[in-house]
Amino acid sequence: MGSPGEAAYFDETKESLAWRIRRYDSGMAWAEDPPSRTRHLISNVMVRYTGENQLTVRSAFLVYRNRLQTETDIYAGGRIDTLRVPRRRCFGAGSGA
């Protein structure tokens, strides 16, 4: 085990590199084995037209991650986004076109 900040050294063989490549090409190259079960929930989405071809969007999110039988992570939060859209596509622009 190296010290923090040191370069890692892998003693790879041709066989181990070939196995890595086959695993990557299979589409089943997970960073975790077994992979986590994750759910992303978005709720309380509120959209407000703020003029000047702009929308303000507020939302809440919850990310639930479970791995094996004892590892559980829950992340909750909210965000505020500003969306700028062309005038002809903006909600509430009033042109009707």
Side-chain angles (χ1 to χ4, degrees), residues 7 12 16 22 54 63 68 75 77 80 83 86-87 92:
E12 294 279 11
S16 66
R22 282 193 309 274
Q54 191 168 289
V63 178
L68 302 173
Y75 304 99
I80 301 172
L83 304 176
R87 183 156 181 81

Side-chain angles (χ1 to χ4, degrees), residues 23-81:
R23 183 174 168 262
Y24 181 76
D25 287 343
S26 74
M28 297 300 293
W30 298 94
E32 300 175 320
D33 188 22
S36 296
R37 292 172 297 280
T38 306
R39 292 290 179 257
H40 303 97
L41 306 172
I42 310 286
S43 67
N44 299 0
V45 177
M46 295 182 286
V47 180
R48 176 178 289 167
Y49 177 72
T50 54
E52 298 297 318
N53 303 333
Q54 191 168 289
L55 301 171
T56 298
V57 182
R58 292 174 172 253
S59 60
F61 65 85
L62 180 78
V63 178
Y64 174 85
R65 175 185 166 269
N66 176 261
R67 183 170 185 271
L68 302 173
Q69 292 182 3
T70 58
E71 294 180 37
T72 301
D73 297 309
I74 298 174
Y75 304 99
R79 56 183 292 150
I80 301 172
D81 297 292

